[in-house]
Amino acid sequence: QKEVEQNSGPLSVPEGAIASLNCTYSDRGSQSFFWYRQYSGKSPELIMFIYSNGDKEDGRFTAQLNKASQYVSLLIRDSQPSDSATYLCAVRRYSSASKIIFGSGTRLSIRP
Amino acid sequence: GAVVSQHPSRVICKSGTSVKIECRSLDFQATTMFWYRQFPKQSLMLMATSNEGSKATYEQGVEKDKFLINHASLTLSTLTVTSAHPEDSSFYICSARDRLAGPIGEQYFGPGTRLTVT
């Protein structure tokens, strides 16, 4: 079982709709959770992080965390073509001296 | 915001030669830097964690004698790929964690270095 699992996609969403990206993790000791966006040929850029159960909103993005279900998600409202990218879910465990473990990413495509 | 630079952005080298990649935190001090490798259409794989002034910690399966990491200062870490082979061709990305960040502190990524070994 992979430590961080994501559906590879591609996930195709019409422009203006809500894109929902999901991630599960295996280590219950995980404490911090991150969503990164990566455009083709570029390095990842941080979109959001979350560490408490519930929702965290930042502009068009909402991160949701459910530690009991070991599940974290990212919602993108009013999807734009520029949101087309690969989204990486990442998890940090305190016991690993701040090492972040990445999922394989979900490719999101926003169709005009 | 926190900026991490990498140099070079692209490098082509011949098989058997060595290549050095630099990673710098420009506006913050990084006690910890991370080196990742990413093959096409795959996720980031952590190669090693380097702490300023101490030896790097390598992930399982990563040859420490082939991938030499030096973190000599709070703003600079280097990765040297020794005796490079075509299978080492990849996208190498460094990441730095702000010294002042708490345990939740995020990592800032450099722009990456595309290495091609011919």
Side-chain angles (χ1 to χ4, degrees):
Chain A
Q1 181 187 12
K2 291 182 180 178
E3 291 191 61
V4 182
E5 296 217 46
Q6 295 181 255
N7 188 317
S8 61
L11 175 65
S12 181
V13 173
E15 184 175 357
I18 295 175
S20 178
L21 303 161
N22 305 315
C23 172
T24 58
Y25 59 95
S26 61
D27 188 345
R28 284 195 173 274
S30 300
Q31 298 290 329
S32 308
F33 306 87
F34 306 83
W35 282 101
Y36 287 84
R37 177 175 61 198
Q38 186 176 26
Y39 293 112
S40 181
K42 303 294 184 182
S43 66
E45 55 179 319
L46 181 68
I47 298 176
M48 293 189 71
F49 68 87
I50 187 169
Y51 51 88
S52 299
N53 274 326
D55 296 359
K56 179 181 178 182
E57 187 175 317
D58 184 0
R60 295 187 297 114
F61 300 96
T62 299
Q64 299 175 316
L65 175 61
N66 184 325
K67 288 188 177 181
S69 300
Q70 295 176 240
Y71 177 92
V72 58
S73 65
L74 179 70
L75 301 178
I76 306 174
R77 289 181 298 281
D78 188 25
S79 297
Q80 303 296 312
S82 59
D83 294 327
S84 297
T86 296
Y87 289 79
L88 302 170
C89 173
V91 171
R92 168 178 287 149
R93 294 173 287 163
Y94 284 132
S95 61
S96 296
S98 300
K99 183 168 66 175
I100 287 182
I101 307 297
F102 284 86
S104 56
T106 297
R107 194 154 53 91
L108 174 65
S109 176
I110 307 299
R111 55 182 191 272
Chain B
V3 178
V4 177
S5 71
Q6 272 184 253
H7 178 79
S9 58
R10 285 180 179 274
V11 58
I12 300 173
C13 71
K14 291 188 177 180
S15 187
T17 61
S18 296
V19 173
K20 179 185 283 189
I21 302 170
E22 290 187 350
C23 175
R24 294 182 185 272
S25 56
L26 298 185
D27 52 0
F28 66 98
Q29 294 181 326
T31 48
T32 306
M33 288 186 172
F34 305 86
W35 286 96
Y36 294 85
R37 179 168 55 183
Q38 186 176 37
F39 292 107
K41 299 191 186 303
Q42 295 187 24
S43 189
L44 282 76
M45 296 301 298
L46 180 65
M47 299 175 66
T49 301
S50 75
N51 293 294
E52 185 262 340
S54 62
K55 289 184 179 181
T57 302
Y58 290 81
E59 294 299 301
Q60 191 172 10
V62 178
E63 301 174 57
K64 61 180 181 181
D65 294 330
K66 180 172 181 61
F67 299 99
L68 302 178
I69 292 173
N70 185 289
H71 192 161
S73 76
L74 286 172
T75 59
L76 173 65
S77 176
T78 60
L79 167 68
T80 301
V81 183
T82 63
S83 187
H85 290 283
E87 57 265 31
D88 298 324
S89 298
S90 187
F91 192 41
Y92 291 85
I93 310 172
C94 75
S95 176
R97 184 163 171 262
D98 192 332
R99 180 176 68 90
L100 299 179
I104 309 295
E106 63 270 31
Q107 294 174 202
Y108 303 100
F109 282 85
T113 296
R114 176 99 33 211
L115 170 63
T116 303
V117 184
T118 60

